[in-house]
Amino acid sequence: MKKYSRFGLMILTSTIIMYFLMYLNIYEVSHFQFSQTRFFMSIMMGAVMAVIMLLFMWKMYTNKKANAAILASSVLIFGLMLFLVRSQTTVDDTSWMRAMIPHHSIAILTSERADLQDERVQQLAEEIIAAQEEEISEMEALIEELQNEDEENE
């Protein structure tokens, strides 16, 4: 069972790392916000990785019941996470904005750092940067306002 514990730890570690890797393309560190959608996506990727790695290392893991349980649970977890990502049923006002801030930050990074030559495209990129910065500021203010309201209602 030590092999299976290491396998689980490897999948868990990789899943956590994948979550944070998804933030490497934000424009600035202050735009890092917890995102349920990115969290669900990380777990989804971890589930897929568990299946792929187990199939590639099938001969190392000889417990057929454990292998079947890993494959079945990985498929189930993948399906649940896919449902949560696609349906957004757990995402409320604040969590939606927390997910949108890094998303907008990526638009700023790509618009600012791309080697744009055409003046029309450069103009479009500048407009995108301005719009995304304004929307990030608005979302940050709304998050703070909603959190203050929640604290007052407690």
Side-chain angles (χ1 to χ4, degrees):
M1 285 312 283
K2 186 177 179 183
K3 284 183 185 179
Y4 286 96
S5 295
R6 284 183 60 120
F7 182 83
L9 188 57
M10 179 175 52
I11 297 300
L12 177 64
T13 303
S14 299
T15 300
I16 292 167
I17 290 169
M18 282 187 277
Y19 175 79
F20 289 102
L21 286 174
M22 285 191 272
Y23 288 93
L24 290 179
N25 59 346
I26 60 175
Y27 183 66
E28 58 184 60
V29 176
S30 68
H31 294 161
F32 177 88
Q33 301 274 331
F34 175 77
S35 166
Q36 287 183 27
T37 300
R38 288 170 190 244
F39 177 73
F40 298 150
M41 288 293 297
S42 298
I43 295 172
M44 206 165 81
M45 289 185 280
V48 170
M49 186 172 58
V51 170
I52 292 169
M53 292 181 77
L54 183 61
L55 293 175
F56 267 96
M57 298 185 290
W58 191 259
K59 291 183 181 180
M60 285 177 57
Y61 298 96
T62 55
N63 184 328
K64 292 185 187 321
K65 287 183 181 178
N67 291 354
I70 291 169
L71 293 174
S73 61
S74 294
V75 169
L76 183 65
I77 290 168
F78 175 85
L80 176 61
M81 293 302 112
L82 181 61
F83 168 77
L84 291 172
V85 166
R86 300 289 302 168
S87 69
Q88 297 287 293
T89 57
T90 63
V91 177
D92 62 13
D93 297 341
T94 303
S95 55
W96 176 77
M97 288 184 288
R98 288 190 185 282
M100 291 305 292
I101 290 171
H103 173 77
H104 282 46
S105 185
I106 293 166
I108 294 169
L109 178 107
T110 57
S111 297
E112 186 161 303
R113 303 230 171 118
D115 183 24
L116 306 176
Q117 302 299 315
D118 188 285
E119 286 182 33
R120 297 167 296 176
V121 178
Q122 289 172 348
Q123 178 63 36
L124 178 59
E126 289 170 14
E127 291 169 7
I128 288 170
I129 291 167
Q132 302 304 307
E133 287 174 343
E134 182 180 330
E135 289 176 5
I136 287 172
S137 294
E138 184 177 352
M139 286 185 280
E140 289 171 337
L142 271 170
I143 289 169
E144 188 173 333
E145 188 177 315
L146 290 171
Q147 286 175 335
N148 291 338
E149 288 173 8
D150 286 344
E151 289 172 9
E152 289 172 8
N153 293 331
E154 289 179 358

